[in-house]
Amino acid sequence: MKYALVTGGSRGIGRAVCVKLAELGYSVLINYKGNVEAAEETARLVREKAVEASLLNFNVADKDDVQKVLGGWMEAHKEDLIEVLVNNAGIRQDTLMMSMTDEQWGSVLDTSLQGMYHVTKAVLNPMLMNRYGRIINMVSLSGLKGMPGQVNYSAAKAGMIGATKALAQEIAKRNITVNAIAPGFVKTDMTEELNEKELAKMIPMQRFGEAQEVADLVGFLASKQSSYITGQVISINGGLYT
Ligand code: NAP
């Protein structure tokens, strides 16, 4: 059985990605941190596409948790392959640097950057042995241009971009591509409290993006059609200048 693993698959962009990968025929491993109801709803939507959905509840920032839950799943599914990994889990803790707490700095870096490291490390060796794979890292416009009030988030996403480019070069010869997607503003819980009407004025397309639009790009990068694209950061932001 061929699987796709999506971290932070319970809500928002991650949920749309799970459904898209199900449409491509992948059975989907849906990771989430705490929101079991939302994760179950994603699983229901995935199963509607006539593939398998499994919930994996672990905190990507916690190495032991990743090893226990994801490592445990892999141990129990030795014949199955995780062909696609989408490192999507992420949080925001916005504040100016002068008032940022260590916790705000640490939790954002731990979720995006450390999380990507823990999960990628866990699935990489079998992928290398299989000589095929797709790794897609969800970064952000903030990681490309830096955003005031988001020093922690910008650093986390910029770190993921560096890792994407380096890992892509390490494993290209094994037919594994590693790319990053940098969304601008996308309508999800993460952007719920933002003033869309006001912010849309600076977006050439005059609107926020939909999770589905990001998922369609993930679907392309996860497919065989994207086989010569690796080490890239692809922006999806309605024309915002980066
Ligand atoms: P969201 O709606 O807030 O959903 C976040 C997802 O991440 C949830 O599924 C959540 O699980 C999961 N998650 C958070 N911390 C986790 C952890 N430690 N371990 C495992 N799962 C964790 O966010 P979103 O807007 O869909 O964003 C998805 C990704 O896109 C993020 O990396 C974000 O930085 C990036 N992004 C978003 C935007 C945007 O405008 N929305 C723009 C640029 C980049 P629970 O449901 O269990 O809490």
Side-chain angles (χ1 to χ4, degrees):
M1 190 91 94
K2 286 179 179 174
Y3 285 87
L5 166 61
V6 181
T7 69
S10 48
R11 291 182 284 129
I13 294 171
R15 173 181 286 172
V17 167
C18 288
V19 176
K20 185 72 205 176
L21 295 174
E23 281 170 8
L24 295 185
Y26 281 105
S27 289
V28 186
L29 302 175
I30 304 161
N31 158 254
Y32 67 104
K33 185 181 175 194
N35 202 333
V36 65
E37 273 177 30
E40 275 167 359
E41 174 59 11
T42 304
R44 191 187 65 74
L45 295 169
V46 165
R47 289 186 193 115
E48 271 184 3
K49 306 290 173 191
V51 293
E52 200 181 282
S54 309
L55 298 187
L56 292 187
N57 177 210
F58 59 83
N59 176 358
V60 295
D62 181 339
K63 188 179 175 189
D64 293 340
D65 206 18
V66 175
Q67 271 170 355
K68 193 173 90 201
V69 180
L70 178 56
W73 185 91
M74 291 171 71
E75 194 59 36
H77 291 80
K78 286 211 169 82
E79 303 302 313
D80 296 322
L81 289 165
I82 298 179
E83 247 186 32
V84 177
L85 165 63
V86 184
N87 285 305
N88 168 76
I91 57 167
R92 282 194 312 136
Q93 293 273 326
D94 297 353
T95 184
L96 294 175
M97 180 81 171
M98 64 179 138
S99 49
M100 187 175 291
T101 63
D102 292 350
E103 204 282 327
Q104 286 169 326
W105 172 262
S107 61
V108 171
L109 269 286
D110 287 350
T111 305
S112 280
L113 190 55
Q114 291 290 98
M116 177 204 65
Y117 170 71
H118 295 146
V119 178
T120 307
K121 194 86 199 297
V123 306
L124 192 58
N125 277 349
M127 218 182 239
L128 288 169
M129 287 196 297
N130 185 40
R131 291 182 166 271
Y132 179 81
R134 297 280 186 261
I135 299 173
I136 298 154
N137 296 323
M138 203 55 70
V139 297
S140 169
L141 175 72
S142 307
L144 285 168
K145 73 183 284 276
M147 290 281 254
Q150 292 195 321
V151 171
N152 47 1
Y153 187 79
S154 303
K157 297 302 192 183
M160 288 177 77
I161 289 171
T164 300
K165 293 179 179 179
L167 183 60
Q169 294 173 66
E170 284 185 11
I171 63 181
K173 58 183 173 294
R174 298 278 183 133
N175 247 339
I176 302 170
T177 64
V178 191
N179 291 293
I181 292 179
F185 295 100
V186 180
K187 265 185 256 174
T188 67
D189 294 346
M190 189 179 269
T191 51
E192 204 181 13
E193 87 283 13
L194 301 181
N195 185 339
E196 180 175 354
K197 212 168 157 220
E198 225 16 71
L199 287 165
K201 288 181 189 155
M202 65 177 189
I203 303 170
M205 285 202 173
Q206 305 275 292
R207 65 171 178 88
F208 280 13
E210 301 289 338
Q212 182 61 51
E213 292 174 307
V214 181
D216 285 340
L217 177 55
V218 174
F220 173 67
L221 289 177
S223 74
K224 298 235 159 68
Q225 280 88 347
S226 68
S227 48
Y228 204 51
I229 301 173
T230 197
Q232 303 305 306
V233 186
I234 302 181
S235 289
I236 175 162
N237 58 26
L240 267 176
Y241 187 65
T242 49

